[in-house]
Amino acid sequence: MESRVAGLFESSHFADAFAVPLPTGTQLTIELLAQAVFGDPSWWFRLLLKFRDVLVAPFGVKSSDTLRAEMQTSGKAHIDFFPVLSRSENELVLGENDRHLNFKASVLVRALANGKGRELVATTVVHCNNSFGHFYLFVIGPFHRLVVRSNLARAVRKLGSLVR
């Protein structure tokens, strides 16, 4: 099974996927797994996010605090400031469309290729709507990769301590 977001946009300007093996015995719901990946960011990611918020404010991009507050008052399903768009037993899709770019992120659980265990896959796909969207993506791209890899590793470490 592959992610539903992989071919979502007719033309994507950015797409990546990272996977980590799940600890043996992990039997959490997809919501709890997604929460482990995106819901408890590290201190250095929160610092990067504050820096991002200050830099993009003059361009009319909502801050993470504003998005978080909107999610909390909307009553919609969300993880941190990301709205949940769809859910199946093995995949949760988050995302947002704005005037600069559209993005979708997926947390997927699938069997390892060797059939011995499962892995957690985080996939991101972005379509830019204008020049600022391209610029924004260029600036955050390297940080995005670092953050997703780090969040996956951190989530698996936490999950490993729960199933022992």
Side-chain angles (χ1 to χ4, degrees):
M1 170 194 268
E2 295 303 314
S3 173
R4 292 182 40 197
V5 303
L8 194 58
F9 297 124
E10 188 174 310
S11 65
S12 61
H13 298 101
F14 179 87
D16 66 13
F18 302 100
V20 291
L22 281 169
T24 304
T26 303
Q27 296 297 324
L28 300 174
T29 65
I30 195 66
E31 288 90 356
L32 291 173
L33 291 170
Q35 182 69 31
V37 174
F38 293 116
D40 183 25
S42 63
W43 67 268
W44 60 266
F45 173 69
R46 289 192 304 271
L47 186 63
L48 280 174
L49 204 52
K50 293 291 182 194
F51 186 61
R52 170 249 182 225
D53 290 345
V54 169
L55 289 177
V56 298
F59 301 99
V61 176
K62 292 179 182 177
S63 73
S64 57
D65 288 339
T66 299
L67 292 169
R68 196 173 287 111
E70 287 176 1
M71 284 292 101
Q72 289 172 350
T73 59
S74 73
K76 295 179 185 175
H78 64 281
I79 295 181
D80 198 13
F81 55 85
F82 300 111
V84 174
L85 302 178
S86 68
R87 180 215 182 276
S88 68
E89 184 179 344
N90 295 323
E91 184 175 30
L92 190 119
V93 177
L94 309 163
E96 189 68 70
N97 296 337
D98 71 21
R99 69 178 193 232
H100 303 299
L101 55 80
N102 305 335
F103 89 92
K104 304 294 181 266
S106 160
V107 175
L108 171 74
V109 175
R110 68 178 182 187
L112 288 168
N114 65 10
K116 297 179 181 177
R118 300 180 312 152
E119 67 182 348
L120 188 61
V121 183
T123 303
T124 307
V125 181
V126 178
H127 172 80
C128 298
N129 296 324
N130 55 35
S131 297
F132 182 77
H134 285 282
F135 175 72
Y136 179 81
L137 189 58
F138 173 77
V139 172
I140 69 156
F143 298 104
H144 163 82
R145 291 175 190 93
L146 177 66
V147 166
V148 173
R149 286 178 175 154
S150 172
N151 283 1
L152 279 170
R154 191 167 180 250
V156 167
R157 281 193 308 274
K158 283 192 275 183
L159 295 172
S161 68
L162 293 175
V163 296
R164 289 188 185 140

